[in-house]
Amino acid sequence: MIKSPTRVRTLKELREILAPHRREGRRIGFVPTMGALHDGHVSLVRTARAQSDVTVASIFVNPTQFAPGEDLDTYPRTEEADIARLAKVGTDIVYLPSVDEMYPEGSVTNVRVEGMSDLLDGQFRPHFFYGVATVVARLFVHVQPDVAVFGEKDYQQLQIIRRMVRDLGFAIDVIGGATVRDADGLAQSSRNTYLSECDRQTANTISGALHRARCRIAIGVPVEVALAEARQRILQAGFTKLDYVSVVDPMTLQDVPNGVLGAGVAARILGAAWMGQTRLIDNMGIGEA
Ligand code: PAF
């Protein structure tokens, strides 16, 4: 029989429900989400379950990571369907805090991971990683997990959270979960539901272009040549705006030098582009990064 996760809405309840598990030395696994769950999230919960004794998922559409004019109000909210999915994959507790629970009135304490947050997506969404780091730090304090799982689909977010955990000394193992893709290669994302049927047909060009560039770099094509090809491919496919396609050091997220990437050098290729009103991001490892 499928058991529904226990629903918890306040920090007080969460502490009460987790206290006996902590006393018994059980390992707590955590998957933070904004809901609108897809197979990518399910795979993160599976990873958390495999690494822990008690699995907590949170659903919280975090206002501080949306800029005015972004899709905070229209972001898909599908709580019951999400909880049904979490039940199927064996989640023990679902944390559903309100905005007041996460940001008590008058709270002014925020987290900013300097430098890395201003690169790549940070250039186009300057508020974004500031909101993410702040809410994830608060969620970590609420849940106090032993292990937390984040998708590699949001690679910059994953690396920023790893850096925050290191800098602030959180005793949490951060695990990256592999990106889950549709059959045509498009990375699964809650925002894919915004795509019109026609746009959906070509949306996978972003993953195709990154994949091709990664293969070209691996056979010795200079980075700037492979990137120019990828940019052209994305724009020709009907993406309305290209924010960036870059090859970066996987840890620092700084651009790698132009030219041929040395054999065995780990790097990451990342891209962000607009299909109409929908912004799609994707990334892949080069040299096993
Ligand atoms: O990746 C997400 O869904 C969000 O950025 C996160 C990590 C849950 C913080 O709101």
Side-chain angles (χ1 to χ4, degrees):
M1 204 187 80
I2 294 173
K3 189 175 156 286
S4 201
T6 307
R7 301 178 192 210
V8 173
R9 294 192 187 268
T10 65
L11 173 56
K12 185 170 174 293
E13 280 176 274
L14 184 69
R15 288 204 169 132
E16 281 166 8
I17 203 168
L18 287 175
H21 294 298
R22 244 188 276 284
R23 269 198 304 275
E24 296 297 320
R26 294 192 192 108
R27 214 168 137 78
I28 295 168
F30 180 43
V31 180
T33 83
M34 297 209 300
L37 303 186
H38 49 69
D39 290 349
H41 295 109
V42 169
S43 135
L44 302 183
V45 176
R46 283 210 178 95
T47 303
R49 280 201 71 193
Q51 301 279 334
S52 58
D53 306 304
V54 181
T55 312
V56 182
S58 62
I59 300 178
F60 178 66
V61 183
N62 172 37
T64 64
Q65 68 191 74
F66 291 79
E70 288 190 346
D71 55 344
L72 173 62
D73 294 338
T74 53
Y75 195 84
R77 285 162 171 88
T78 54
E79 189 173 297
E80 288 309 318
D82 291 344
I83 294 174
R85 266 185 163 239
L86 291 172
K88 269 197 197 154
V89 74
T91 314
D92 299 298
I93 296 164
V94 57
Y95 185 38
L96 303 151
S98 64
V99 173
D100 284 346
E101 202 67 25
M102 290 313 302
Y103 297 100
E105 210 192 321
S107 75
V108 290
T109 305
N110 299 302
V111 179
R112 182 169 179 84
V113 180
E114 303 283 346
M116 291 169 90
S117 300
D118 302 323
L119 304 169
L120 301 166
D121 270 343
Q123 290 174 280
F124 299 90
R125 305 182 72 197
H127 59 283
F128 179 66
F129 292 114
Y130 165 77
V132 168
T134 297
V135 80
V136 172
R138 286 172 184 233
L139 286 166
F140 280 174
V141 171
H142 286 205
V143 179
Q144 295 179 34
D146 298 286
V147 53
V149 189
F150 294 83
E152 283 186 352
K153 152 84 178 18
D154 298 297
Y155 188 78
Q156 186 174 7
Q157 168 176 282
L158 170 65
Q159 296 305 68
I160 286 172
I161 288 163
R162 285 192 162 129
R163 185 61 193 256
M164 176 186 82
V165 162
R166 198 201 78 162
D167 288 359
L168 297 183
F170 281 112
I172 300 172
D173 288 338
V174 174
I175 297 180
T179 302
V180 174
R181 298 180 180 279
D182 286 347
D184 68 354
L186 180 69
Q188 292 207 358
S189 161
S190 304
R191 289 191 169 100
N192 289 356
T193 54
Y194 296 161
L195 291 167
S196 70
E197 206 188 317
C198 291
D199 287 347
R200 175 63 193 80
Q201 294 295 315
T202 41
N204 68 335
T205 307
I206 188 162
S207 60
L210 297 188
H211 187 70
R212 172 98 187 129
R214 164 199 204 221
C215 295
R216 301 268 292 146
I217 291 166
I219 60 163
V221 173
V223 169
E224 67 275 24
V225 173
L227 286 178
E229 291 168 358
R231 290 181 187 123
Q232 195 186 22
R233 203 173 161 138
I234 290 169
L235 287 170
Q236 277 175 353
F239 277 83
T240 36
K241 187 169 161 266
L242 178 63
D243 281 352
Y244 64 85
V245 180
S246 303
V247 176
V248 303
D249 177 285
M251 300 309 292
T252 64
L253 306 179
Q254 297 282 352
D255 283 339
V256 298
N258 278 332
V260 175
L261 203 69
V265 174
R268 199 96 193 167
I269 182 163
L270 299 95
W274 290 84
M275 184 58 95
Q277 300 301 308
T278 311
R279 188 172 186 272
L280 298 176
I281 60 170
D282 203 345
N283 71 87
M284 289 166 202
I286 304 176
E288 295 311 307

